[in-house]
Amino acid sequence: MCSHKSGNNVGISKTVFLLVCICLLGAALRLHGIGDRSFWLDEAFSWTMATQYSVGEIFYRSANDFNPPLYYIVLKIWIFAFGDTEVSQRGLSAVFAVATIVAVYLLCRDAFTKVELSKDALEKSSRSEVGLVAAALVAVCPAHLQWSVETRMYTQTTFLAVLSTWLLFHCIETKSRSLTWKMLYSFSAIALLYTHTFGVFTVFAQACFVFVLLLSQWYSKSVSGITELEHIEENSLHAAIPAKSVSANGATTVRQFCGLYVFIGIACAPWGYVLLTQAQRAKSEYWIQPMNAWTLPNIWAQLIGPSNHLPQFMNRQFTTLVVLGSSVTFIIFLMRTRTVGERLVATMLLSPVIGASIVSLLVVPILDPKHLLISLMFFICVASYVISTLKLQSLRTGIVLLLMTDCLYLHFRYLVELDVESRPGIRMITEHIRSNFRDGDAVIVKNPAMLFSTRYYFRDRDFNPMLLRNSAIASYSGAALIDESDQIGSHDLIEMDALRVWEIDTTGFAQTPVGSFEKLHREHWSIQSTVAQQGVLHFEGAVILRLYDRASSIDP
């Protein structure tokens, strides 16, 4: 008895040790060079939302944008505690990334049954092994690494999606009247819905899964005449759960789950209305291209191997290979699927892809690699399960090491492709202004996409860069945070006392028309110098700085 307990303790200690090592590896990869890149539009937008507005104002401003408010509120608290440097703000995403690693481990450990290695052998691979493999693959996942160093909500989304699925699994499997699992699940689902719009697909799929499962159990019971307990035992819904835990006395009823989802629905109803208005606005202003035959394959290839090139220039051979390999893996998983946990994971993998595809075809294009990070987390769970079904331990270990090596290669190839050192972008431009700034100089921004990042790098100065009023501001350029007081007209510049004006422009994003500044006021201003610095991401283009001098353009 003692030796058996001692062996269990050693096994648990080994598992915890390996999980900690995996988390440390994931944290190290994400913290490496986390502050090297300049802030770009989306990150500076997050900083502006979190630092310039109250919680109530964040809700209001988020309603005029395309993302829910919870991440910005969390970021606000984080900045209050740790400051607003690039490293600090991106560190929040890294923390949620490591939390995702742990959540994936827990889900795979609990949701997947022990896998028989052969018909005759009694040996079975540990469920902890499946969880550790999945955690290791998430730790080195190139796409997850990419978005773990962005001041955005994507790793918070992956964490809540996996966590809510794990909690829901326990709600289903324990079949207990205790409110603990149910309340934890409901809070995680609400948090997910208030973190990212794609959370709708995940929570809706979870609800559908639960009611289809309960309906199928009720139907089987009514047709066969057997008790719910006998039905669960005969169909092996989960071999690891004792029969008494799923007894009729402790069964979770449809009424209980209805109450759970009514609570979630009421909590999220205000944002549901906002979501409908956002969908209408997105039809005319969203930036994602219409869906075609290569949209999903290209997105999946970008998730497996991120690239800083435009999707249409991606290697079609690589895309085809990735899609075929992923499809074969998923088919093998479906062929082996027997339990509730396995079916739940498969449902969570498919729901964002199917839901986003339907919306993209019928309403507005919303498919983008970062939006399907949720699906990628569950695919890693699926792949880890398939690997665990291999008979030889050495073969399983070899495949995991090979996949981790490939992931690290793709990650570091992406870093080389970014070439951060030679693409300083807006950070270098603002440093140039600081080095040459004179009292009374003015700084204006020509492209709305550069306003927030410019203001971020001048946040410690006693002036606020203004946006040159050109035309209507697109929603994807941060219109939700730009008021009339943030803009300045070209005629206002003439009336200013400034003798010099620094103008920041870009060749990326949606380029603004030729500005009225240089067209209408060449008689008042002349260009003294022009500086350009390339942005890191392909759509950022080059950041252009022009210095206009009023005095030199006036005849003596």
Side-chain angles (χ1 to χ4, degrees):
M1 177 72 72
C2 291
S3 62
H4 178 68
K5 182 179 292 186
S6 176
N8 286 340
N9 290 336
V10 171
I12 293 173
S13 298
K14 181 181 178 181
T15 299
V16 171
F17 173 75
L18 290 174
L19 181 60
V20 170
C21 290
I22 290 170
C23 290
L24 290 176
L25 172 63
L29 289 171
R30 285 158 176 82
L31 294 176
H32 171 69
I34 194 171
D36 291 349
R37 285 169 47 189
S38 298
F39 261 19
W40 64 288
L41 168 61
D42 284 9
E43 292 186 288
F45 181 95
S46 298
W47 168 79
T48 304
M49 185 77 85
T51 60
Q52 305 303 308
Y53 305 107
S54 65
V55 172
E57 187 75 3
I58 288 175
F59 271 85
Y60 171 76
R61 299 277 179 168
S62 296
N64 292 322
D65 188 51
F66 296 109
N67 291 299
L70 182 59
Y71 170 76
Y72 303 121
I73 296 172
V74 175
L75 180 62
K76 187 179 187 69
I77 298 170
W78 180 270
I79 289 175
F80 177 79
F82 301 104
D84 67 347
T85 65
E86 294 108 317
V87 174
S88 171
Q89 293 186 67
R90 290 168 176 164
L92 175 60
S93 295
V95 168
F96 277 118
V98 174
T100 302
I101 295 172
V102 177
V104 165
Y105 165 78
L106 293 173
L107 176 63
C108 291
R109 183 199 65 183
D110 294 350
F112 295 147
T113 58
K114 295 180 179 180
V115 182
E116 295 185 8
L117 300 179
S118 65
K119 291 182 179 180
D120 300 324
L122 296 177
E123 180 186 7
K124 295 183 178 181
S125 65
S126 168
R127 285 181 291 156
S128 294
E129 177 185 331
V130 183
L132 290 172
V133 170
L137 293 179
V138 172
V140 298
C141 173
H144 205 249
L145 285 166
Q146 174 189 356
W147 294 103
S148 296
V149 293
E150 295 272 349
T151 308
R152 297 297 286 166
M153 67 288 297
Y154 303 113
T155 56
Q156 180 174 320
T157 302
T158 58
F159 167 65
L160 290 171
V162 178
L163 178 67
S164 63
T165 302
W166 176 65
L167 293 171
L168 176 62
F169 171 75
H170 279 282
C171 288
I172 296 171
E173 285 298 290
T174 57
K175 299 280 178 125
S176 171
R177 292 189 182 276
S178 170
L179 292 177
T180 303
W181 288 111
K182 300 181 186 68
M183 294 308 297
L184 288 174
Y185 165 68
S186 62
F187 289 142
S188 66
I190 292 169
L192 176 59
L193 291 168
Y194 274 104
T195 297
H196 197 275
T197 303
F198 268 54
V200 172
F201 301 128
T202 297
V203 176
F204 178 75
Q206 290 170 347
C208 291
F209 181 87
V210 167
F211 289 117
V212 169
L213 176 66
L214 294 177
L215 182 62
S216 66
Q217 290 180 4
W218 174 83
Y219 179 77
S220 298
K221 178 181 177 181
S222 63
V223 170
S224 62
I226 64 174
T227 66
E228 181 182 6
L229 176 61
E230 292 171 336
H231 170 68
I232 294 175
E233 288 175 340
E234 292 178 9
N235 289 276
S236 301
L237 286 180
H238 201 298
I241 300 297
K244 62 181 180 180
S245 69
V246 291
S247 63
N249 186 46
T252 302
T253 63
V254 173
R255 181 183 301 172
Q256 289 174 315
F257 272 107
C258 283
L260 190 68
Y261 284 107
V262 166
F263 172 69
I264 294 173
I266 292 174
C268 298
W271 198 256
Y273 173 77
V274 170
L275 191 60
L276 295 176
T277 62
Q278 289 176 340
Q280 293 300 318
R281 187 169 65 253
K283 288 182 179 180
S284 60
E285 298 186 23
Y286 217 47
W287 51 272
I288 295 178
Q289 297 298 313
M291 187 176 179
N292 58 47
W294 279 98
T295 297
L296 281 175
N298 279 337
I299 285 176
W300 197 251
Q302 286 179 286
L303 286 171
I304 301 300
S307 173
N308 195 33
H309 299 302
L310 293 170
Q312 58 264 35
F313 296 120
M314 289 188 65
N315 189 310
R316 286 290 171 85
Q317 289 77 18
F318 175 76
T319 299
T320 303
L321 181 63
V322 165
V323 171
L324 286 176
S326 301
S327 300
V328 169
T329 301
F330 187 61
I331 290 172
I332 293 174
F333 176 78
L334 290 179
M335 292 173 62
R336 296 176 180 271
T337 296
R338 304 186 308 275
T339 70
V340 168
E342 292 157 9
R343 294 166 188 158
L344 179 60
V345 170
T347 302
M348 294 303 98
L349 190 164
L350 293 174
S351 59
V353 178
I354 295 174
S357 297
I358 292 173
V359 173
S360 295
L361 289 172
L362 301 181
V363 184
V364 60
I366 58 173
L367 280 167
D368 191 71
K370 57 182 176 287
H371 296 160
L372 293 185
L373 277 174
I374 297 175
S375 289
L376 181 61
M377 296 301 98
F378 291 108
F379 176 77
I380 289 175
C381 296
V382 165
S384 301
Y385 175 87
V386 172
I387 292 172
S388 71
T389 62
L390 299 174
K391 296 180 181 180
L392 298 177
Q393 174 69 44
S394 58
L395 181 59
R396 298 199 301 271
T397 302
I399 290 176
V400 172
L401 292 176
L402 178 62
L403 288 175
M404 292 182 67
T405 302
D406 287 342
C407 287
L408 289 173
Y409 165 74
L410 291 171
H411 170 61
F412 285 106
R413 186 201 67 172
Y414 176 70
L415 294 182
V416 171
E417 198 176 88
L418 290 179
D419 192 15
V420 174
E421 290 185 4
S422 64
R423 298 175 179 178
I426 186 63
R427 182 191 289 164
M428 183 64 71
I429 290 296
T430 54
E431 287 179 3
H432 180 83
I433 295 176
R434 284 173 174 271
S435 300
N436 298 277
F437 195 83
R438 300 176 187 172
D439 289 340
D441 283 3
V443 179
I444 63 170
V445 179
K446 183 178 172 183
N447 191 312
M450 303 305 301
L451 178 63
F452 305 119
S453 52
T454 301
R455 286 185 168 179
Y456 172 76
Y457 287 109
F458 283 117
R459 66 192 185 282
D460 59 342
R461 302 298 290 262
D462 58 358
F463 67 89
N464 212 17
M466 302 291 287
L467 176 66
L468 183 63
R469 189 181 295 110
N470 279 316
S471 57
I473 302 171
S475 294
Y476 56 77
S477 293
L481 305 188
I482 300 176
D483 298 326
E484 187 66 24
S485 60
D486 297 310
Q487 304 177 59
I488 185 170
S490 54
H491 290 282
D492 298 328
L493 289 170
I494 302 176
E495 300 174 2
M496 291 176 61
D497 296 331
L499 296 179
R500 303 196 310 170
V501 172
W502 301 88
E503 180 197 61
I504 297 176
D505 195 6
T506 178
T507 61
F509 300 100
Q511 296 186 45
T512 54
V514 176
S516 58
F517 182 79
E518 63 268 33
K519 267 191 169 184
L520 298 180
H521 302 296
R522 286 172 181 164
E523 67 273 19
H524 299 282
W525 306 92
S526 64
I527 296 180
Q528 296 302 300
S529 63
T530 301
V531 177
Q533 294 289 349
Q534 186 67 33
V536 172
L537 302 175
H538 68 83
F539 50 78
E540 289 184 90
V543 184
I544 301 172
L545 174 65
R546 302 183 185 93
L547 173 59
Y548 291 88
D549 192 325
R550 184 201 299 264
S552 62
S553 66
I554 300 176
D555 295 332

